[in-house]
Amino acid sequence: MKPTYTTRLRRMTASALLLASVASPAPALAFDSFEELLDRSGPEGTAEELFSDLEELRRNKIPLNLATGEQLLQLPLLTAVDAAKIIEWRRKRGPIGSVAELESVIGQDAARRLAPYLSFELPPEAKKKEPPGKLRGSVIGRVYWEDPPRAGVKSGKYAGGNRHVYSRFQAATPHFGAHLLLDSDVGEPEIDDFLSFNVYAEQIGILTQAVVGNYKLSFGQGLLFGQGRYFFKGSDAIDGVLLFAPSLRPYNSAGEDNFLQGAAATLSPGPFEVTAFTSTNKVDASIKNEVVTSIATGGYHRTENELKKKDNLTQEVKGVNLRYRYRTGALSTAIGATWASYRYGLPLELLDGERGGQLASVEASAVYRDVQVFGEAAYADASDATSWICGVQADLAEGITGVVSMRDYAFEYYSPFAGAFAERGDNAANESGLYLGLKAKVLDNLTLAGLYDKFRFPVLDKRYYAFPSSGYEARFYVTWKQNRRMTWDVMYQHKEKEEAKKQFDSATGLRAYMPVPKITNRAQLSLVARCSPGITLKSRAAFKSLRSHYVGGVESEEGWLLYQQLNWKSGPVTLKTRLARFETDSYAAALYAYEDDLPLVYTINAYYGRGKAWFILLDLEPVKNFKLTAKYETTWYDDRDVYSSGNDLRNTSSPGSFHVGCMLKF
């Protein structure tokens, strides 16, 4: 008899508790880092850019006691309220000299998360610390290959070989920098299939930032430009709603879409901030009869068909953003407006044959003591449509933060560069919703959080079911630091959402696309147990059930995941290894988990089917600022003889891969 969902939950929870019981009582570091969010994020996030930005901030720390409010907001997920608290504390009480003192200002969790990217020198010392012209930077190289190779590599249908090669060089002085990146996926013939380059200048007089080459933009809440959004929804009850990113940044990621190429600059004369930009970029597209049917974002150039799409469409963009900031006492406000024009080299089917259009938006935010109000409204003239979002985030009491946000994204709205907060997609279109989030630190070692999102789609599916649909999601989080060495993290999710599926209509005797209500329940229990200063155990049990309500009846699918990971560090050597066991009824019931990888590599693994997965990662730092990393991973499937299909088919039930990389910092 097949075990029930409840029986499995009990068994896996008991296993996780047993694993925890072996932890020794030695003290260890606090579990307050971005890894918490990575462990909760899904495959739709863009945390690869977060890794790159954090690495740069770790090397070039922000001087906490000298930085302006705008400079502090370069820290990912630092709220405008917390930045204002830091500025106000410095004004009234003087410099902040330690992490412990910062905890008194913005709270323990936020302080410990951000401390690695801050320097605490007092102003006179900070000014003398780094002599003008001091050069810093890094060189990174990685190679990856699979065992056995994919069918497309063996048959020659892929133009390249069985390797993924990545190289990056970055160098900067306090005010100038340069970045070069080359990346080539498995099956791609050229080692520089993707090449990204930029030079930049920053913090010179009224010049805040200037970039020539590849760059990204973020204004307001991302309805026009949201290329700095790392997480969209669900990683955290509070932090995912607002857009946390400076207006202009150099593009340092290997992702082959969602960036601009040209020149841009941000000037900050007095209370004003002006960002002007121009871009001429080549993008991949599917073209039929001289009309663009779709723009490809995968970045793969392996087969003859994929190579034909490579850089075959020109995208031109230009625009300007203007902001005005006003401060008086505890009140800090900002209003702004953005205008942009974009044009493609051929007509787009998506725009009813138009080649582009103009975009405009207005944005506003205000911070007063512990309250931040924010909003943006955007207009696209090509479709004559408007989208907007507004909300308020506030510290309701000591240790308690809440956020309320409303959004209304028109079905016809289109911006190629949007990165908006949303349930479905990030393009600020075809969705409305009400979002409520609350996070409370009820005890020094216990944090509770929850979110509720009620959403509606004006059109469920443009191709198959052009009628409205609605749904909702609720999530609950508990983080309990049982003691200095053990931290528990619990997550529960309930979601009800419809999908358009072809069904048999008994009333008409026809098969037609109709909405299928899908109810998802997901539970996740994680434990980090620090057995000693050099040994950490990470355990997880995760469960998912999916019920699809078809006209002919209800289909139920379930899945579970259990893994145990060991992290060991001794001097210059770090070893991480994980063994996972999983079983799901289908891909729809897949469970996702963040997986440690080489430096600046962000990996979310999808566990589906039935089997076991294992990886081992070895880090060696033989000399200061030089690191060698190697990783091997494999999965043993019990329910298949081959892995994947088509050109990606690998003739084995246990596919593996090897990763080798090095990083030199100077």
Side-chain angles (χ1 to χ4, degrees), residues 17 24 65 102 172 186-187 304 368 623:
L17 290 169
S24 74
N65 294 303
L102 181 61
V186 169
E304 182 180 355
Y368 182 73
V623 295

Side-chain angles (χ1 to χ4, degrees), residues 219-226 336-340 358-364 375-390 407-420 427-429:
F219 303 130
Q221 297 305 313
L223 304 192
L224 245 60
F225 290 89
T338 304
W339 170 84
Q358 299 190 65
L359 303 166
S361 75
V362 292
E363 60 185 89
E376 182 184 13
Y379 173 75
D381 77 330
S383 54
D384 190 24
T386 301
S387 292
W388 60 266
I389 183 172
C390 65
R407 62 190 185 274
D408 189 359
Y409 307 151
F411 169 70
E412 301 86 358
Y413 179 83
Y414 176 71
S415 168
F417 323 103
N427 59 0

Side-chain angles (χ1 to χ4, degrees), residues 284-330:
D284 298 355
S286 297
I287 301 172
K288 184 177 181 180
N289 299 325
E290 296 299 307
V291 175
V292 178
T293 57
S294 65
I295 295 176
T297 59
Y300 293 118
H301 308 119
R302 305 162 300 185
T303 65
E304 182 180 355
N305 184 49
E306 289 174 347
L307 287 165
K308 285 180 180 179
K309 297 178 183 179
K310 182 180 179 180
D311 295 340
N312 62 345
L313 180 65
T314 301
Q315 178 199 73
E316 297 180 348
V317 185
K318 59 183 177 182
V320 63
N321 170 266
L322 174 64
R323 290 177 180 170
Y324 173 76
R325 303 182 187 277
Y326 174 75
R327 291 184 176 86
T328 176

Side-chain angles (χ1 to χ4, degrees), residues 46 73 75-80 217-232 238-247 323 363 372 374 376 389 393 417-421:
T46 56
L73 290 174
L75 288 164
L77 305 185
L78 177 70
T79 68
L217 299 171
S218 298
F219 303 130
Q221 297 305 313
L223 304 192
L224 245 60
F225 290 89
Q227 296 172 314
R229 186 178 289 277
Y230 306 115
F231 303 105
F232 291 100
I238 302 296
D239 291 335
V241 183
L242 281 82
L243 177 61
F244 301 91
S247 301
R323 290 177 180 170
E363 60 185 89
Q372 179 178 3
F374 59 91
E376 182 184 13
I389 183 172
Q393 181 168 318
F417 323 103
F421 176 78

Side-chain angles (χ1 to χ4, degrees), residues 50-110:
L50 175 64
F51 276 26
S52 179
D53 291 343
L54 291 178
E55 177 64 25
E56 176 62 18
L57 285 169
R58 194 185 296 273
R59 293 279 292 162
N60 187 28
K61 299 178 187 290
I62 293 176
L64 181 64
N65 294 303
L66 288 176
T68 65
E70 289 70 33
Q71 291 169 339
L72 287 172
L73 290 174
Q74 294 181 30
L75 288 164
L77 305 185
L78 177 70
T79 68
V81 169
D82 283 345
K85 288 179 180 178
I86 292 171
I87 299 294
E88 185 68 7
W89 180 285
R90 290 186 341 205
R91 186 179 68 84
K92 290 184 175 180
R93 307 193 189 188
I96 300 170
S98 65
V99 177
E101 194 170 355
L102 181 61
E103 291 176 7
S104 302
V105 184
I106 63 174
Q108 185 183 73
D109 292 344

